[in-house]
């Protein structure tokens, strides 16, 4: 294909061979040459794509770190198996499918995601139409925060604060209030820049930082609070409108000048605000921009009027004298008086003023509508706080320097005094308009009505000082309406994010958005209904302080989330905003709590109760979310510290707890075995499940098996660890488990196995591995317990795990959707070597389906209320009542009966301790202990019985009876001996010389039978006694015969156990490690 003037690429045929993509395969990589018209040849191999030509390694890329890997360009990060084991991954076929499939070629990304049934949650939805509106820091955060902080309190309460506290203390109050908001903003900025912030604002930040419990409670409170706040702001607008009509338009009214005016005007206003919100955020922003200019204009009007001074004697009579040093001296100190039925002080005034500086989260609540929340939130919020702080510092000085605290407004009296007094003698302090001669100026004992005007009495001081008063009313209108719009727009977005997370039942319908901007129209309607109901009430002063406390609670948690994340030093805590400190955040959180109580301690307590109630509700629901919160990190830190502290704690027999390692296989294979172990540990002692599988297996398989087991434990509310090891056989794997399971002193001290019922028919090496597992446990100084139940323990061929459909009559068990590369025709049960460790026979009454039905992922983790739903057969079929009864035998309440304890030999007391622990559990509380013991001599029977009773009394163990067995050494009946001989018939050999090295310990020689004849007779005799005394017991517990090394073979030992336990009630054989676990010392 070479032509003059055309560059060519020459590739050897071996370059196209399969397997030539790895850098290590140099044989597959030949130099690529580039030739041009001048016939110069140079190598271009390293100009090619590094990923596709030289190596499978992927270069760092943003898409690799998304919640869902981007596979559009075929550049998903390879797994460790791909790189290390040179395995083939299905995702590598995507590029070929892209080229060969016209549907994918034409449909692009959306077609690929549609076919795969998954999509990147961070990607925009392709089906939405319309213009996507995203805001920068100026219009998205700065403007909205200004509108909320410059609220109606600026016009109505700043003058009253100066009148009560004086200029100096008023400035202190402003500084302290802004200190709280600045610290909170610094904490919020740190949280907002620690990763990508999505829609939900404060709720999203708190929930992802502190977890769903705190986030869910604050999210719901924030939604309700903003819904009610929208109504309060609209009511404030109505009140300002009524005041303007009264003073500026000669008492004009809409209906009656009262609550009905509020209802009518408020409803119309609310409908208008709702319509604006539904039209879209673009129009909301335009309207708010206009309101901001109006708000700024009203403040300029106030400043200009303050410098101009009073323009009439009427203004002077109402206390506005202009900038005057004497007025400053009069107002510089505090003059706290009684107001609305309570005496005021600096703390109460601070509580009244503080809501004026809230609103710092107005921009953060629209985080989903911001171009870059991590940049916009810190920049816009801090800028708004700085701007409003300057105004809140200046305005109290202006008010205190130009207006008196009290004035009657009597123009005639004011002018009369001026006319009667010379200019040299005149002083405003002596004017009766400003003294108690005309009205009550706050002097103690004065029963007259207080003065109508002045800083202490009038809320319209700024309107009085303004150059044009009506513009101040317009500013009040702008402040109230802008706050109402922010609340009605912000609350539904928080609710939408809360609904998407499904933390509360019944609110998911509010998660749906409409249009290109995903507008929460349903949330708008809900907030509209709540606000309309509040407007109909007409007066919400009662809940005003409660709303402030709700907002302060969220601020406190923002500070605490920053403090907590910094304190635990999680590596994932890497905020881009660096100007924060954990101790400053802690102080900010505490200050928010203090302010809550300063505002209203009763409402503060109500807020605490609401937060705790919602926290407990979400915690009880235990939502299935994993957000990497700092509380998760705290769990690790706390557990690590406690485990390390435990290392230094000296062990004592009084604090002994049975810490169980259960050789259970996968968690769902042997439910009765795990239930029995759990009834011993009951979440207050260590329970660890051990699983041995044939190796080697990929990490993907190991992860899938681990995940399935923990899912099963979670569904069945059993708290336990799961340990998976690979081994050639059970003995080898168990040795690894005995050595490695646990951490420090938090490690097993006993092993629980299921009885191997098929020991006489299984492969000889299987039997040997099981028997040697007992030796391994005893070599490690672990206690050993073997459980046998009549119906068997292994239900792996009967129960279908919700995560793992099982094919019963075949050999295939698929770990669907979790393990793509599990070997074909090899089941989890076949991988497991722990099948040897429990009842091998299939329990009766089990279904025999031939095929499976897939389990839907959405139902896989669904909580099921009944036991019948917890256990399902293959394909989801219902199990018979008999099978369910057998599976759940240790979950149910046991009938009244006895636990027969055959404490044959002193093993340290473990044989006695475990049944006692069982009697303290609710399932076994109706069972009484009967203790059986052996007598050394028949003539010492009474003494042995009294001695055992005395020992039990010292151990403080309740029992119903003590029975001493005098004739355990008596020769067993011939029929019993014949039954035993049948058990070992297939394992007998005449001479030990006939036993090969391979079969060593697997055959029983005549010499061994002769040497163990006394023990054999004792066990046969014990069976006769068991049948005589314990046939009807609820549970039989007996000391496990010691499997002495080199003395007893595996089949003989198993024959002893078979003799003791066959056709008996549930039977537990226990052998302690000969160390005391009981004491009668205090």
């Amino acid at each position: 294909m070479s032509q003059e003037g055309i560059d060519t690429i020459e590739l050897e045929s071996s370059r196209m061979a399969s397997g030539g993509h790895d850098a290590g395969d140099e044989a597959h990589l030949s130099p690529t040459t580039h030739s041009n018209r001048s016939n110069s040849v140079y190598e271009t191999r390293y100009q090619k794509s590094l990923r596709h030509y030289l190596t499978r390694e992927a270069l760092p890329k943003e898409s690799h770190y998304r919640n869902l890997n981007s596979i559009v360009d075929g550049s998903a990060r390879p797994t460790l198996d791909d790189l290390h084991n040179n395995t083939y991954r299905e995702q590598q076929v995507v590029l070929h499918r892209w080229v060969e499939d016209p549907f994918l070629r034409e449909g692009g990304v959306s077609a690929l995601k549609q076919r795969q049934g998954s999509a990147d949650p961070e990607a925009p939805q392709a089906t939405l139409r319309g213009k996507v509106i995203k805001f920068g820091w100026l219009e998205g955060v700065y403007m909205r925060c200004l509108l909320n902080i410059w609220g109606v309190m600026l016009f109505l309460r700043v003058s009253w604060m100066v009148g009560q506290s004086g200029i100096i203390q008023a400035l202190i109050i402003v500084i302290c209030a802004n200190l709280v908001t600045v610290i909170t903003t610094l904490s919020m900025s740190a949280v907002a820049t620690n990763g990508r912030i999505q829609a939900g604002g404060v709720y999203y930040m708190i929930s992802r930082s502190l977890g769903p419990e705190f986030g869910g409670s604050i999210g719901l409170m924030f939604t309700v609070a903003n819904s009610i706040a929208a109504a309060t702001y609209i009511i404030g607008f109505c009140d300002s409108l009524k005041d303007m009509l009264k003073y500026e338009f000669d008492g004009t009214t809409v209906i009656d000048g009262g609550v009905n005016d509020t209802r009518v005007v408020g409803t119309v206003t609310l409908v208008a605000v709702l319509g604006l919100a539904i039209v879209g955020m673009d129009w909301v922003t335009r309207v708010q921009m206009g309101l901001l200019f109006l708000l700024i204009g009203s403040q300029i009007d106030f400043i200009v009027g303050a410098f101009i001074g009073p323009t009439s004697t009427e203004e002077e009579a109402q206390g506005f004298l202009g900038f005057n040093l004497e007025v400053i001296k009069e107002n510089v100190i505090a003059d706290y008086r009684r107001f609305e039925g309570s005496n005021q002080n600096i703390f109460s005034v601070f509580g009244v003023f503080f809501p004026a500086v809230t609103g710092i989260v107005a921009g953060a609540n629209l985080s989903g509508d911001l171009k870059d929340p991590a940049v916009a939130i810190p920049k816009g919020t801090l800028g708004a706080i700085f701007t409003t702080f300057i105004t809140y510092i200046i305005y109290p000085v202006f008010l205190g320097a130009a207006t008196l605290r009290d004035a009657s407004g009597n123009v005639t009296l004011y002018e009369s005094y001026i006319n009667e007094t010379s200019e040299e003698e005149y002083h405003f302090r002596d004017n009766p308009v400003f003294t108690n001669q005309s009205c009550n100026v706050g002097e103690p004992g004065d029963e007259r009505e207080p003065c109508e005007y002045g800083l202490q009495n009038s809320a319209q001081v700024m309107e009085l000082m303004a150059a044009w008063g009506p513009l101040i009313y317009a500013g009040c209108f702008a402040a109230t309406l802008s706050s109402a719009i922010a609340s009605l727009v912000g609350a539904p977005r928080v609710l939408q994010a809360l609904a998407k997370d499904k933390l509360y039942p019944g609110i998911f319908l509010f998660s749906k958005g409409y249009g290109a901007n995903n507008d929460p129209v349903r949330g708008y309607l809900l907030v509209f209904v709540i606000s309309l109901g509040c407007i109909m009430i007409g007066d919400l002063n009662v809940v005003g302080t409660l709303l402030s406390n709700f907002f302060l609670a969220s601020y406190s948690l923002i500070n605490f989330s920053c403090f907590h994340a910094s304190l635990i030093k999680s590596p994932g805590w890497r905020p881009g905003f660096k100007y924060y400190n954990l101790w400053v955040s802690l102080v900010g959180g505490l200050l928010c709590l203090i302010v809550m109580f300063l505002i209203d301690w009763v409402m503060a307590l109500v807020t605490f109760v609401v937060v705790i109630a919602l926290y407990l509700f979400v915690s009880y629901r235990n939502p299935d979310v994993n957000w990497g919160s700092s509380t998760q990190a705290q769990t690790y830190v706390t557990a690590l510290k406690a485990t390390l502290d435990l290392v230094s704690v000296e062990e004592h027999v009084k604090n002994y707890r049975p810490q169980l390692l259960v050789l259970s296989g996968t968690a769902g294979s042997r439910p009765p075995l795990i239930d029995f172990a759990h009834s011993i540990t009951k979440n207050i002692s260590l329970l660890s499940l051990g699983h041995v599988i044939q190796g080697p297996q990929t990490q993907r398989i190991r992860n899938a098996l681990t995940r399935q087991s923990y899912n099963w434990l979670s569904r069945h509310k059993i708290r336990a660890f799961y340990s998976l090891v690979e081994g050639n056989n059970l003995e080898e794997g168990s040795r690894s488990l005995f050595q490695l399971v646990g951490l420090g002193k938090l490690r097993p001290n006993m092993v629980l196995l299921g009885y191997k019922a098929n020991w006489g028919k299984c492969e000889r090496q299987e039997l040997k591995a099981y028997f040697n597992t007992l030796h391994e446990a005893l070599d490690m100084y672990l206690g050993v317990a073997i459980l046998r139940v009549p119906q068997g323990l292994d239900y792996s061929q009967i129960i279908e795990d919700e995560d793992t459909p099982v094919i019963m009559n075949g050999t295939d068990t698929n770990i669907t959707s979790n393990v793509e590369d599990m070997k074909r025709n090899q089941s989890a049960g076949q991988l497991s070597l722990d099948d040897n460790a429990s009842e091998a026979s299939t329990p009766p009454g089990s279904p025999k389906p031939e095929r499976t039905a897939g389990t839907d992922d959405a139902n896989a983790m669904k909580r099921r209320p009944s036991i019948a739903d917890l256990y399902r057969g293959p394909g989801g079929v219902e199990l018979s009542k008999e099978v369910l009864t057998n599976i759940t035998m240790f979950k149910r309440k046991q009938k009244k009966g006895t636990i027969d304890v055959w404490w044959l030999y002193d093993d340290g007391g473990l044989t006695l301790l475990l049944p006692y622990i069982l009697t303290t559990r609710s399932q076994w509380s109706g069972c009484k202990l009967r203790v059986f013991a052996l007598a050394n001599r028949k003539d010492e029977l009474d003494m042995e019985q009294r001695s055992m009773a005395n020992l039990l009394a010292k151990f403080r163990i309740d029992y119903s009876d003590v029975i001493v067995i005098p004739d355990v050494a008596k020769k067993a009946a011939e029929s019993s001996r014949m039954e035993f001989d049948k058990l070992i018939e297939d394992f007998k050999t005449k001479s030990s010389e006939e036993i090969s090295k391979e079969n060593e310990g697997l055959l029983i020689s005549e010499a061994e039978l002769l040497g163990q004849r006394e023990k054999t007779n004792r066990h046969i005799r014990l069976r006769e006694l068991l049948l005589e005394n314990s046939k009807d017991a609820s549970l039989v517990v007996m000391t496990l015969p010691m499997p002495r090394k080199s003395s007893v073979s595996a089949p003989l030992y198993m024959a002893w156990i078979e003799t003791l336990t066959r056709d008996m009630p549930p039977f537990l054989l226990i052998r302690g490690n000969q160390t005391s676990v009981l004491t009668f010392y205090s």
Side-chain angles (χ1 to χ4, degrees):
M1 53 184 291
S2 176
Q3 298 179 7
E4 186 177 359
I6 300 177
D7 294 341
T8 63
I9 301 294
E10 301 174 2
L11 299 176
E12 292 187 5
S13 58
S14 63
R15 241 343 228 124
M16 307 302 294
S18 62
H21 287 333
D22 196 34
D25 301 335
E26 295 297 335
H28 295 285
L29 292 172
S30 62
T32 303
T33 59
H34 188 111
S35 62
N36 59 17
R37 192 165 55 178
S38 62
N39 294 325
S40 61
V41 179
Y42 56 93
E43 190 173 298
T44 59
R45 164 180 168 184
Y46 297 105
Q47 295 179 1
K48 298 293 128 189
S49 170
L50 180 67
R51 174 72 187 277
H52 295 291
Y53 283 83
L54 301 180
T55 179
R56 288 181 181 175
E57 299 276 14
L59 299 180
K61 192 173 182 180
E62 179 187 348
S63 61
H64 298 161
Y65 296 89
R66 281 181 174 273
N67 290 338
L68 194 67
N69 286 341
S70 172
I71 59 173
V72 174
D73 55 0
S75 60
R77 183 197 295 123
T79 66
L80 190 60
D81 283 340
D82 294 332
L83 299 177
H84 187 237
N85 298 328
N86 198 25
T87 58
Y88 174 82
R89 278 204 314 146
E90 186 178 356
Q91 286 90 331
Q92 294 170 353
V93 185
V94 170
L95 283 178
H96 301 287
R97 291 173 56 202
W98 190 278
V99 174
E100 296 171 2
D101 193 334
F103 173 74
L104 296 181
R105 285 202 309 270
E106 296 173 8
V109 178
S110 59
L112 178 61
K113 291 177 177 179
Q114 178 182 348
R115 178 163 291 186
Q116 290 182 332
S118 63
D120 188 346
E122 297 177 5
Q125 299 181 29
T127 58
L128 298 179
R129 295 182 179 181
K131 183 181 178 183
V132 177
I133 304 297
K134 294 291 183 181
F135 303 106
W137 71 272
L138 189 63
E139 71 276 20
V141 180
Y142 179 74
M143 180 192 73
R144 300 178 197 278
C145 288
L146 281 181
L147 286 169
N148 273 265
I149 298 175
W150 278 337
V152 70
M153 299 290 287
L154 170 67
F155 299 97
L156 302 182
R157 281 290 180 261
V158 173
S159 57
W160 175 83
M161 174 184 67
V162 176
Q164 291 279 353
S165 302
I167 297 175
I168 295 177
Q169 292 190 21
L171 294 179
I172 293 175
I173 290 173
V174 170
I175 292 172
C176 291
N178 278 272
L179 179 65
V180 175
T181 59
V182 167
I183 294 175
T184 302
T185 303
L186 295 178
S187 300
M188 181 173 67
S189 300
V191 175
T193 57
N194 189 51
R196 182 171 178 174
I197 298 295
Q198 298 182 19
V202 173
Y203 159 71
Y204 186 90
M205 287 186 280
I206 294 178
S207 63
R208 269 53 177 181
S209 298
L210 292 177
E213 294 85 2
F214 281 115
S217 58
I218 289 299
L220 193 60
M221 289 169 53
F222 211 82
T223 300
V224 175
N226 273 284
S227 302
I228 300 175
T232 61
Y233 293 135
I234 291 176
I235 291 174
F237 164 74
C238 296
D239 292 342
S240 297
L241 180 63
K242 288 189 294 183
D243 288 343
M244 185 183 73
L245 293 176
K246 177 180 178 181
Y247 293 109
E248 302 294 334
F249 294 92
D250 299 327
T252 303
T253 62
V254 178
I255 296 179
D256 59 358
V259 69
N260 288 323
D261 283 10
T262 300
R263 290 167 179 167
V264 173
V265 177
T267 301
V268 173
T269 306
L270 181 62
V271 171
V273 173
L274 174 65
L276 180 65
I278 293 178
V279 166
M281 289 300 298
D282 191 20
W283 278 98
V284 169
T285 303
R286 293 178 186 179
V287 171
Q288 287 190 316
M289 189 71 75
L291 293 175
L292 178 62
F293 284 125
L294 189 59
L295 193 57
I296 293 174
S298 65
Q299 295 179 62
I300 294 174
D301 179 42
F302 164 72
I303 294 173
V304 171
F307 278 105
I308 292 175
T311 57
S312 66
T313 55
E314 182 180 0
E315 291 181 350
E316 293 178 358
Q318 292 178 8
F320 177 36
L321 303 180
F323 292 133
N324 188 315
L325 185 60
E326 295 298 323
V327 175
I328 294 176
K329 292 179 180 178
E330 186 77 15
N331 292 331
V332 72
I333 60 174
D335 182 17
Y336 292 110
R337 302 178 187 174
R338 192 172 183 83
F339 180 75
E340 292 185 352
S342 60
N343 295 321
Q344 302 298 312
N345 53 51
I346 188 172
F347 298 111
S348 61
V349 174
F350 178 86
V352 171
F353 171 77
F354 185 81
V357 298
T358 59
I360 59 175
V361 296
N365 283 338
L366 301 179
S367 55
D369 297 301
L370 302 176
K371 294 176 183 177
D372 189 353
V375 173
I377 291 174
K379 193 173 182 181
T381 309
L382 288 172
I385 291 176
F386 178 74
T387 304
T388 55
F389 174 70
I390 293 175
T391 60
Y392 277 123
I393 286 291
I394 294 174
Y395 295 164
V397 176
F398 278 22
L399 290 164
T403 306
L404 295 174
R405 283 190 168 100
D406 299 286
S408 65
N410 190 328
V411 178
T412 304
L413 186 62
Y414 178 78
E415 291 178 342
S416 174
Y417 181 78
I418 292 177
N419 295 332
E420 295 174 359
T421 309
S422 64
E423 186 175 346
E424 292 79 10
E425 296 177 352
Y426 176 78
H427 195 281
F428 69 85
R429 292 179 183 174
D430 300 325
N431 195 315
V433 175
F434 309 131
T435 65
N436 61 357
Q437 295 181 27
S438 58
C439 59
N440 181 2
V441 295
E443 292 186 1
D446 195 338
E447 299 296 334
R448 292 178 297 169
E449 290 293 324
C451 298
E452 186 177 353
Y453 299 99
L455 296 174
Q456 287 272 19
N457 311 296
S458 175
Q460 303 296 329
V461 174
M462 291 189 71
E463 186 266 340
L464 173 68
M465 294 177 61
W468 187 48
L471 192 55
I472 296 297
Y473 283 111
C476 287
F477 298 159
T480 53
L481 290 178
S482 63
S483 298
I485 292 172
S487 296
L488 193 137
V489 169
R493 279 166 165 73
V494 174
L495 177 63
Q496 185 181 39
L498 183 64
K500 285 181 179 179
D501 292 333
K502 301 179 182 179
L503 300 185
Y504 295 100
I507 66 171
F508 183 70
L509 62 95
F510 296 104
S511 64
K512 181 175 176 57
Y514 297 87
N517 294 291
N518 199 31
D519 292 322
V521 176
R522 296 178 180 178
Y524 289 152
L525 297 176
L526 176 66
V527 173
F528 172 82
V529 171
I530 296 175
S531 300
L532 182 62
C534 294
I535 289 174
M536 291 299 104
I537 297 174
D539 183 9
L540 296 178
N541 290 334
V542 177
V543 297
T545 54
L546 181 62
L547 300 184
S548 298
N549 277 289
F550 278 6
F551 294 136
L552 280 167
S554 65
Y555 297 169
S556 180
L557 284 178
I558 290 173
N559 283 294
F560 182 73
S561 63
C562 181
F563 163 75
H564 193 249
S566 304
L567 181 67
I568 62 176
K569 295 180 173 62
S570 173
W573 174 248
R574 301 185 302 275
F577 185 83
K578 303 298 182 182
Y579 306 102
Y580 71 96
N581 180 273
L582 76 161
W583 302 114
V584 172
S585 296
L586 177 62
V587 170
L590 295 176
L591 286 175
C592 290
L593 297 179
I594 293 172
V595 172
M596 288 173 62
F597 283 92
L598 289 178
I599 293 176
D600 190 327
W601 68 270
V602 175
M603 290 302 176
L605 292 178
V606 171
T607 303
F608 272 97
V609 171
V610 172
V611 171
I612 293 172
L614 293 175
Y615 178 95
L616 293 176
F617 179 79
V618 177
S619 179
Y620 173 76
R621 282 177 56 83
N622 191 22
D624 182 25
V625 295
N626 181 16
W627 294 331
S629 64
S630 61
T631 51
Q632 290 175 291
Q634 180 65 58
T635 302
Y636 170 83
V637 173
T638 303
L640 178 63
K641 184 179 184 301
T643 305
L644 291 172
D645 290 343
L646 190 62
V647 173
S648 60
V649 176
E650 293 293 332
E651 294 180 355
H652 193 280
V653 63
K654 289 196 299 183
N655 296 324
Y656 174 86
R657 293 175 185 267
Q659 303 187 124
L660 271 62
L661 171 61
V662 184
L663 298 186
S664 62
T666 54
S669 299
R670 300 169 180 82
L673 183 65
I674 298 175
D675 289 339
F676 184 81
H678 182 245
S679 64
I680 295 175
T681 59
K682 210 62 176 180
N683 299 335
I684 55 175
S685 186
L686 176 66
L687 175 58
S688 188
L689 310 184
H691 186 190
V692 182
I693 61 172
Q694 288 176 330
Q697 300 295 335
T698 65
Q699 187 60 31
R700 203 172 298 174
I701 288 181
R702 291 190 289 268
N703 289 342
L705 291 172
T706 301
R707 182 165 52 249
Q708 288 173 7
S709 292
Y710 277 116
N711 286 345
W712 188 93
L713 291 169
S714 177
R715 285 193 299 270
H716 292 257
K717 296 181 173 58
I718 296 176
R719 308 191 71 177
F721 297 101
Y722 170 82
S723 299
L724 177 67
V725 298
E726 294 180 3
N728 294 323
N729 53 49
L730 180 63
E731 176 188 356
E732 181 181 309
S734 298
R735 185 187 306 119
S736 300
L737 288 171
F738 299 157
Q739 293 174 350
L740 299 177
V741 171
L743 195 63
K745 290 186 177 179
L746 197 66
R747 58 188 316 114
N749 52 27
M750 68 172 293
V751 181
L752 176 63
L753 304 85
Y755 176 67
K756 187 169 181 61
N758 66 340
W759 64 272
K761 299 177 181 179
C762 67
E763 294 183 7
R764 299 292 173 88
Q765 293 303 318
E766 237 181 72
L767 171 60
K768 186 175 183 179
Y770 181 86
F771 182 63
N772 286 344
T773 298
L774 304 181
H775 286 306
E776 293 289 347
L778 293 171
D779 286 343
M780 294 287 297
Y781 270 57
L782 297 172
V784 177
I786 299 175
L787 178 65
R788 183 177 188 179
V789 296
Q791 299 82 14
L793 296 169
D794 189 354
Y795 289 83
S796 58
Q797 299 301 309
I798 295 176
I799 302 174
E800 176 178 294
D801 192 288
E802 291 190 6
D803 295 331
T804 311
V806 179
I807 294 179
M808 300 295 303
N809 289 344
T811 58
D812 192 12
T813 299
N814 300 314
I815 305 180
T816 58
S817 74
N818 291 329
V819 186
E820 300 87 352
D821 57 351
M822 177 171 276
K823 296 178 180 178
R824 198 180 181 105
N825 296 326
Q826 189 173 38
S827 69
Q830 288 172 310
L831 289 173
S832 174
L833 293 171
D834 291 358
D835 292 334
N836 320 345
S838 83
E839 196 78 39
S841 58
T842 301
S846 56
K848 301 290 184 181
E850 296 292 334
R851 61 186 180 87
T852 65
T855 303
D856 186 80
D857 289 339
N859 295 326
M861 295 301 295
K862 184 180 178 182
R863 292 178 177 273
R864 287 173 173 154
S866 66
I867 292 179
D869 286 329
L870 277 175
Y871 299 102
R872 289 281 180 172
V877 300
E878 212 172 300
L879 297 175
S880 67
K881 186 176 181 180
E882 179 187 359
V883 173
L884 279 175
T885 301
N886 293 338
I887 293 174
T888 60
M889 62 184 306
F890 294 122
K891 277 184 176 290
R892 301 189 318 273
K893 177 83 172 178
Q894 303 294 316
K895 294 180 180 179
K896 286 189 177 182
T898 62
I899 298 178
D900 288 357
V901 182
W902 292 71
W903 194 11
L904 305 180
Y905 316 107
D906 191 351
D907 60 348
L910 189 62
T911 306
L912 185 62
L913 178 62
L914 289 189
Y916 166 74
I917 292 175
L918 287 175
T919 60
T920 64
R921 311 305 186 208
S922 58
Q923 299 99 312
W924 299 91
S925 59
C927 298
K928 302 296 184 180
L929 290 185
R930 287 201 306 171
V931 180
F932 294 81
L934 301 180
N936 288 321
R937 296 174 56 182
K938 192 172 182 178
D939 56 355
E940 297 176 353
L941 188 62
D942 291 341
M943 185 183 67
E944 293 281 359
Q945 190 170 12
R946 287 195 299 270
S947 176
M948 177 58 66
N950 184 48
L951 182 59
L952 293 175
K954 287 185 176 181
F955 286 149
R956 303 171 305 283
I957 291 179
D958 294 330
Y959 61 92
S960 63
D961 200 2
V962 173
I963 302 171
V964 178
I965 306 298
D967 53 352
V968 71
K970 177 182 176 182
K971 187 175 181 180
E974 187 63 27
S975 59
S976 300
R977 298 181 62 84
M978 290 176 63
E979 288 181 9
F980 181 83
D981 290 338
K982 286 182 182 179
L983 292 175
I984 62 174
E985 185 175 357
D986 294 338
F987 296 92
K988 284 184 180 179
T989 182
K990 292 183 179 179
S991 172
S992 58
E993 297 177 358
E994 298 178 7
I995 302 176
S996 63
K997 188 174 183 180
E998 182 180 345
N999 289 323
E1000 186 176 350
L1002 294 174
L1003 295 175
I1004 305 172
S1005 66
E1006 293 290 345
E1008 183 183 0
L1009 281 176
L1010 184 63
Q1012 301 293 337
R1013 64 180 183 274
E1014 294 296 334
K1015 284 187 179 180
T1016 300
N1017 181 76
R1018 190 188 313 149
H1019 291 113
I1020 298 173
R1021 176 64 183 142
L1022 280 172
R1023 173 170 177 77
E1024 295 175 348
L1025 294 169
L1026 283 166
L1027 291 173
E1028 180 182 338
N1029 294 280
S1030 299
K1031 182 67 175 174
D1032 298 323
S1034 299
L1035 175 68
V1036 179
V1037 181
M1038 177 178 280
T1039 306
L1040 178 72
M1042 178 60 70
R1044 195 161 296 168
K1045 283 185 175 181
S1046 304
S1047 298
V1048 59
S1049 62
L1052 181 59
Y1053 184 79
M1054 294 303 295
W1056 290 347
I1057 297 180
E1058 178 75 19
T1059 300
L1060 293 172
T1061 61
R1062 187 176 69 245
D1063 300 328
M1064 292 294 294
F1067 208 112
L1068 182 66
L1069 293 163
I1070 304 175
R1071 170 63 69 164
N1073 64 358
Q1074 304 303 120
T1075 302
S1076 295
V1077 299
L1078 293 170
T1079 181
F1080 41 75
Y1081 293 105
S1082 60

